């Protein structure tokens, strides 16, 4: 009976541990604004993304300018040049970080994309701050006010519904409770076990498997994300870049879990051998 109870508690501990680790990663890297900005900020320096961004911004700003045909041939090249050089502007890093903060708010913080859409259902990139930088740069060269496009959001990928985003965010925010429950189950498993060294080693093996699963999943993230987006241009480039960053981050996050599991296995084996020796003596 004790062996069965210990096994049940151990299984619950491992399931809850997997849930807690998943939740804490999502919370720190996606739900929390600071983590999301830190995760996605390096994409702003990627040459491929910068080229796609400049092309998209040029089209958006030119399209919203409403230029008369008589001066369009003169003004459009200046706007295009401003868009091409925006990533080399001193104000670009700040504008890009602000873009990520606005995009995070739209997607994860429940800020409506439009008055009739209170619950977002897609990952959206709001290029407003960078588009404003392009308009200001072009306006300074022309000596006129170049309007910022009224809608600067780019849909990166859609979900089944905004409720899914909310559910993930709320669950991830409770990772401490899930981790506490996992710890309690692990402790109960050890307390009820007949062979605690063996039980600890098995728990360690389970933790190692969880870490290895995270490592494997990290390798599938880029392809899965691109397939989910199913678009082209700036959205596809951003999705590919962000998915690559997520994969690297998730793999790095999984490594300490594997190491911790290995340590638990080692301690469990030592305890098992020590207890066996005492029993024989």
């Amino acid at each position: 009976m004790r062996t069965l109870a210990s096994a049940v508690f151990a299984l619950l501990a491992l399931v809850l541990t997997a849930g807690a680790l998943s939740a804490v990663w999502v919370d720190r890297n996606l739900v929390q604004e600071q983590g999301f900005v830190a995760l996605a900020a390096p994409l702003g320096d990627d040459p491929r993304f910068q080229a796609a961004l400049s092309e998209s911004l040029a089209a958006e700003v030119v399209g919203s300018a409403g230029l008369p045909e008589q001066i369009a041939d003169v003004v459009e090249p200046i706007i295009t040049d401003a868009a091409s050089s925006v990533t080399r502007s001193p104000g670009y890093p700040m504008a890009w970080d602000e873009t990520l903060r606005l995009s995070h708010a739209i997607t994860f913080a429940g800020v409506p994309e439009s008055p009739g859409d209170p619950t977002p259902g897609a990952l959206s990139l709001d290029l407003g701050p960078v588009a404003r930088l392009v308009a200001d740069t072009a306006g300074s060269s022309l000596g006129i006010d170049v309007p910022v496009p009224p809608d600067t959001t780019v849909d990166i990928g859609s979900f089944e519904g905004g409720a899914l985003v909310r559910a993930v965010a709320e669950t991830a925010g409770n990772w401490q409770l899930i981790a506490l429950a996992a710890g309690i189950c692990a402790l109960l498993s050890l307390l009820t076990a007949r062979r605690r060294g063996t039980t600890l080693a098995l728990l360690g093996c389970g933790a190692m498997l969880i870490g290895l699963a995270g490592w494997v999943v990290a390798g599938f993230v880029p392809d899965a994300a691109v397939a989910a987006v199913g678009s082209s241009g700036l959205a596809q480039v951003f999705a590919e870049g962000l998915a690559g960053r997520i994969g690297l981050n998730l793999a790095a996050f999984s490594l300490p879990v594997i190491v911790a599991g290995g340590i638990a296995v080692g301690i469990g084996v030592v305890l098992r051998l020590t207890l066996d020796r005492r029993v024989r003596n």
Side-chain angles (χ1 to χ4, degrees):
M1 187 64 182
R2 287 179 58 184
T3 302
L4 178 60
S6 178
V8 171
F9 283 127
L11 181 60
L12 287 174
L14 292 175
V15 171
L16 290 170
T17 297
L21 290 172
S22 301
V24 70
W25 186 89
V26 170
D27 183 61
R28 290 181 176 179
N29 294 282
L30 297 181
V31 177
Q32 292 186 23
E33 178 188 276
Q34 183 177 0
F36 178 78
V37 172
L39 181 68
L43 294 179
D45 298 325
D46 181 76
R48 182 168 174 250
F49 176 75
Q50 288 182 350
L53 177 64
S54 297
E55 181 180 351
S56 176
L57 289 172
E60 290 288 340
V61 175
V62 168
S64 67
L67 302 172
E69 294 183 3
Q70 296 85 346
I71 63 172
D73 293 339
V74 177
V75 175
E76 287 184 8
I78 295 177
I79 295 177
T80 302
D81 183 66
S84 300
S85 63
V86 69
T87 56
R88 299 188 297 272
S89 169
Y92 173 68
M94 184 179 298
W96 174 240
D97 284 351
E98 181 63 20
T99 289
L100 293 177
R101 283 191 287 269
L102 290 174
S103 303
H104 177 272
I106 291 174
T107 304
F108 292 100
V111 177
E113 293 184 58
S114 64
D117 185 18
T119 305
L123 172 60
S124 299
L125 190 64
D126 190 339
L127 300 176
V130 186
R132 190 175 301 109
L133 188 61
V134 172
D136 290 344
T137 302
S140 298
S141 300
L142 294 169
I144 60 174
D145 290 333
V146 176
V148 179
D151 183 11
T152 56
T153 59
V154 176
D155 290 335
I156 304 301
S158 60
F159 304 98
E160 290 298 326
L164 178 60
V165 180
R166 291 288 183 86
V168 170
E170 291 174 1
T171 302
N174 295 322
W175 68 265
Q176 297 96 333
L177 295 177
I178 304 174
L180 178 61
I184 292 173
C185 287
L187 181 60
L188 290 174
S189 177
L190 292 172
L191 291 176
T192 57
R194 293 183 182 277
R195 298 178 178 179
R196 292 173 182 171
T198 301
T199 301
L200 180 59
L202 291 174
L203 287 170
C205 287
M208 290 181 67
L209 289 175
I210 292 172
L212 288 172
W215 187 282
V216 171
V217 169
F220 288 101
V221 167
D223 292 337
V226 172
V229 172
S231 59
S232 59
L234 180 63
Q236 183 178 9
V237 175
F238 181 81
E240 290 178 356
L242 183 61
R245 293 282 304 166
I246 289 175
L248 291 174
N249 189 287
L250 185 57
F253 180 81
S254 300
L255 184 59
V257 179
I258 298 173
V259 173
I263 293 173
V265 171
I267 295 174
V269 170
V270 170
L271 288 176
R272 178 60 183 159
L273 293 176
T274 302
L275 291 175
D276 276 348
R277 185 175 300 174
R278 287 180 181 179
V279 170
R280 291 174 183 175
N281 294 334

